[in-house]
Amino acid sequence: MMNDVDNLIGSYFDGTLSPEQKGAIEELLTQSPEARQRFRLLATIEDGLVERALKFTPAEIQTPPSPPALKETDRVLSWRPLAAAITGLVIGALSATVLWAQSTPKVPRLERIHIPLSDPGFEEINTPIPTVIPRVFNRWNGDPSHTVSSGDSIVKPKEGEFMLKMLPVEDRKYSRIEQIVDVGHLVPAKGGRITFSASVICAGADRQSKTILVLRSFNMDFREISGSREKLQEQVTCETRRTVFSSPGSTEWLTGELTMDLPENTKTLVFEIAAVDLPKASSESSRYIDDIKAEIVVTPPNEFQQ
Amino acid sequence: MDNATKLGIPKKMTDAISDQHEQFMRLLAKHEPVVRAYVRTGVYSAQDVAEVMQDVSVVAWRKFDQLEDHSGFGKWMTMIARYEIMKFRQTKARDRLVLDDEIIDKILQEGGEETSLREAWIEAIEGCLAKLPPRHRTLLLEAYEPGSSIKNLAARTKKNPNSLYQTLHRLRGRIANCIESEMAYE
């Protein structure tokens, strides 16, 4: 009997419930307090397994050896940043780099590990950008802003159908967003070099404006990041920033990129984008962000030895 | 000059991130797993859990100064979660094959009284998972691996997707039975 209940509840959580099964489970849950408690227990297990899988160490995974020409895994990156921990293991150099490396064997092949930022192109329009406190992992935190499509603006997204429109914050010169990413299982033992890029466009600006990319690394677990900037500053192991200047009247997307050497034992990265001197809401000028990318370039061991 | 100053963040803002916030974050970190498991009861997918938890956290932070007894934080946050789950379901869960609101509300209502029990369940998961044979444990965790899909996992393990679903149901059932038996000994 319990197997039947478990199967019905399991199908519900798997998203494979048929309409007939839906009727059966609803009847069961209406009538049986024991079934309702079993439902809550299985929901707790569901959530527990999701969390436990995040700690699933690479050593536990029987990953097949990477092919010579590595390419991105066919897995769909999800909202969990630790997808990187798994996915990153089977991601190798970009094809061009590999081909080049194969034809010139004296040059070490640079392995690139994609960092799966959550919603890097702001395509998940149902995901609101929340306020910065309290910080929540695996998604964009920050000041109020909108995801907009090309239909909402004269500006076309850099990629996909949507982009982020930064909104001014009262009594503040800037507006910002940030994302905290767990990279503990991604960063090679001896560190590596990370690149972080974002595209910016300032539509209708009548003066030069700037957008700042900031990247900070931490040795602390992402769960320990409490949201206190003061505390974070004490814990930062490395910080780099890059300013993207937009000229008045600019109508082109500008891509800013920063590079930073990752300290050993980096567990957490915080990606931040700050739009400075945003125009008032009534202004026709707007700042848009799109197409955010990040990857770790693994430094070959012999490079460290030289 | 610290970065907040460099970026032009007013001192009053940094001051506002104060002891109260630290206290809130500590309580949130402690009780978040129990509340999240509760939220999982009322929403359709793990992705929805993240979205609702975001709203729950924001509401809890906004109302934190109204909470007089911090020892009741978990239960208080669970109450907020119940409201946010139902709100979420009204706005975003209509187009899915979801269970009836009345049933979910009943489940949530009863679950609101089980905070301690749920905490015990969560604590028991790891031990019960460890009791599974390694290949079953690996299979189960791979199914929950971020970005994983049953289709891909079935192809990789050379199983039929339907039979893989059945296997996963059985394994979760075994963990549930294990947890219940652990509770019976306490």
Side-chain angles (χ1 to χ4, degrees), chain A residues 68-69 93-112 297 300 303:
Chain A
L94 294 174
S95 300
T97 307
V98 172
L99 290 172
W100 180 66
Q102 285 173 339
S103 61
T104 53
K106 290 180 183 175
V107 180
R109 187 177 70 182
L110 297 179
E111 184 187 2
R112 293 169 186 267
V297 180
E303 187 171 306

Side-chain angles (χ1 to χ4, degrees), chain A residues 133, chain B residues 11-21 61:
Chain A
I133 302 168
Chain B
K11 189 171 184 302
K12 64 181 180 183
M13 180 180 168
T14 53
D15 287 347
I17 303 171
S18 60
D19 289 348
Q20 190 186 31
H21 183 252
W61 168 241

Side-chain angles (χ1 to χ4, degrees), chain B residues 137-166:
Chain B
R137 188 168 62 241
T138 300
L139 180 70
L140 196 55
L141 291 176
E142 282 187 315
Y144 285 86
E145 182 188 334
S148 176
S149 76
I150 293 295
K151 188 180 166 189
N152 288 347
L153 185 58
R156 194 147 53 84
T157 55
K158 296 182 172 57
K159 286 178 185 288
N160 176 296
N162 287 335
S163 113
L164 182 57
Y165 275 125
Q166 293 299 317

Side-chain angles (χ1 to χ4, degrees), chain A residues 7 14 17 22 26 36-38 40 46-47 51-52 75-76 79 86 133 174 226 233 239, chain B residues 3 9 21 25 36 47 97-98 100 107 110 114 126 144-145 147-148 156 169 172 177 180:
Chain A
N7 272 332
D14 289 337
L17 206 62
K22 179 177 182 281
E26 285 185 337
R36 290 197 292 274
Q37 190 174 65
R38 187 77 173 185
R40 288 190 291 272
E46 276 284 320
D47 188 67
E51 292 303 304
R52 178 59 180 81
R75 286 178 183 277
V76 179
W79 54 282
I86 314 300
I133 302 168
Y174 70 93
S226 72
Q233 282 309 120
E239 176 175 325
Chain B
N3 283 321
I9 300 174
H21 183 252
M25 293 307 294
R36 201 185 54 239
Q47 285 84 347
L97 192 59
V98 296
D100 183 78
I107 289 171
E110 291 171 348
E114 289 177 341
E126 186 67 36
Y144 285 86
E145 182 188 334
S148 176
R156 194 147 53 84
H169 293 173
R172 287 187 301 233
N177 293 341
E180 284 185 336

